[in-house]
Amino acid sequence: KTTVYITKNALTIGILRVDAHVDDETGDAWVPVTGRKFPEFVRRLDVHRTLPPARERAEHLRVAKIQSLLKQIKKLETLSIKEMP
């Protein structure tokens, strides 16, 4: 097992520091989850061996989410509600 930082749920619960089985070839990880029989799969984009890259990824996710929400707001502002017959 290797200690890694997981950013899969960084916007909801934060960056997780866990001991996981990491596939050296792909960089993907299998993270043990309390109360579950099988570990959870985490893709390599969300698996980091040190904290600084994990923080960078979390910041990227935060900025992307803000951009997505701003786009949604703009769409809602131009939306007109039509009455159905």
Side-chain angles (χ1 to χ4, degrees):
K1 287 190 175 186
T2 306
T3 301
V4 293
Y5 297 88
I6 305 294
T7 56
K8 181 176 181 179
N9 300 313
L11 297 181
T12 53
I13 60 174
I15 298 170
L16 296 177
R17 181 177 181 232
V18 296
D19 290 327
H21 293 284
V22 179
D23 184 328
D24 291 329
E25 191 174 311
T26 65
D28 298 331
W30 293 96
V31 179
V33 179
T34 304
R36 286 197 192 161
K37 186 176 182 179
F38 299 103
E40 181 178 341
F41 174 78
V42 180
R43 61 196 175 114
R44 70 177 177 267
L45 282 176
D46 293 317
V47 178
H48 310 277
R49 295 191 186 262
T50 60
L51 189 55
R55 286 185 175 154
E56 286 177 29
R57 173 74 174 151
E59 179 63 15
H60 171 76
L61 292 171
R62 187 186 73 81
V63 169
K65 182 65 174 182
I66 290 170
Q67 290 174 344
S68 172
L69 290 171
L70 289 173
K71 185 178 175 182
Q72 230 179 329
I73 289 168
K74 188 174 181 179
K75 185 176 179 181
L76 286 170
E77 287 175 340
T78 61
L79 180 70
S80 63
I81 307 297
K82 298 177 184 173
E83 186 177 328
M84 298 298 293

